[in-house]
Amino acid sequence: MISEDIREYFGIVGNGFEDKRERNTYFRVMLSDGNRKYYHSLVFKFHNKDIENIPMIDHIDGNGLNNEISNLRVASSKMNGRNQRLSNANSSGRAGVYWLKARSNWVANGKSDGKTQYLGSFKNFDDAVAAREKWEKLQGMYTERHGRQKDLEN
């Protein structure tokens, strides 16, 4: 699982271990100086030695154990948030869409830069989802897996 080139370059000792954080699992390794590091950050740095001050590395497919370089990208906190799976607290099955019992309507909204944007109230779920998807497209940087059911994940 650990590339010998990366092991040697960073001084990784041992075989590493899975580290469960909230809903995500990542692979961590121990370095010879005693520090623990996320393996995906080392993989990315190994393949992109010219990039300094990398703020965050995102797993494109959402699988924190898939540390192939093709699955890793530099991401801001905002970009990383736009690649999140559906929250366990979501009851509609779609991010940004919820049932408003008082009005007997589906409501679509989106959040950008800390501000919630009302996208509309709809009689049917599919129209609310369409409004949310249109908004996501206009916002940009959302991945196909953002806010979708877990069956779309690897």
Side-chain angles (χ1 to χ4, degrees):
M1 181 166 211
I2 299 174
S3 156
E4 287 306 314
D5 291 340
I6 294 172
R7 179 187 296 281
E8 186 177 314
Y9 187 82
F10 290 104
I12 296 172
V13 295
N15 294 321
F17 58 96
E18 291 183 12
D19 184 13
K20 183 110 173 119
R21 299 285 170 151
E22 295 176 23
R23 297 181 306 154
N24 299 312
T25 302
Y26 298 102
F27 193 72
R28 293 185 77 177
V29 294
M30 179 78 74
L31 303 184
S32 57
D33 64 5
N35 285 320
R36 294 178 183 185
K37 297 286 184 183
Y38 288 111
Y39 185 63
H40 63 273
S41 66
L42 299 180
V43 170
F44 192 86
K45 287 176 186 176
F46 181 80
H47 290 280
N48 296 279
K49 295 176 181 93
D50 56 325
I51 300 176
E52 294 181 25
N53 300 323
I54 299 168
M56 186 177 289
I57 304 300
D58 182 35
H59 290 86
I60 297 167
D61 70 358
N63 178 353
L65 297 176
N66 179 358
N67 295 306
E68 294 294 323
I69 189 63
S70 61
N71 187 48
L72 303 175
R73 66 177 178 174
V74 173
S76 65
S77 179
K78 186 177 192 176
M79 283 175 67
N80 197 34
R82 291 180 174 185
N83 191 29
Q84 290 181 355
R85 70 177 67 118
L86 189 64
S87 165
N88 290 334
N90 183 294
S91 60
S92 74
R94 187 59 174 86
V97 175
Y98 63 93
W99 177 251
L100 186 58
K101 189 175 183 179
R103 291 185 146 177
S104 296
N105 277 332
W106 290 98
V107 175
N109 64 27
K111 195 168 193 173
S112 182
D113 299 323
K115 296 177 184 168
T116 300
Q117 296 176 337
Y118 174 75
L119 305 175
S121 182
F122 305 89
K123 288 289 179 197
N124 93 36
F125 176 75
D126 291 338
D127 291 341
V129 169
R132 170 62 189 217
E133 288 177 349
K134 181 180 177 184
W135 178 84
E136 286 179 5
K137 203 171 248 184
L138 290 171
Q139 293 295 308
M141 295 190 298
Y142 280 91
T143 64
E144 286 298 314
R145 67 181 293 278
H146 175 79
R148 302 309 195 276
Q149 293 289 353
K150 293 181 181 175
D151 60 4
L152 292 181
E153 296 175 20
N154 292 345

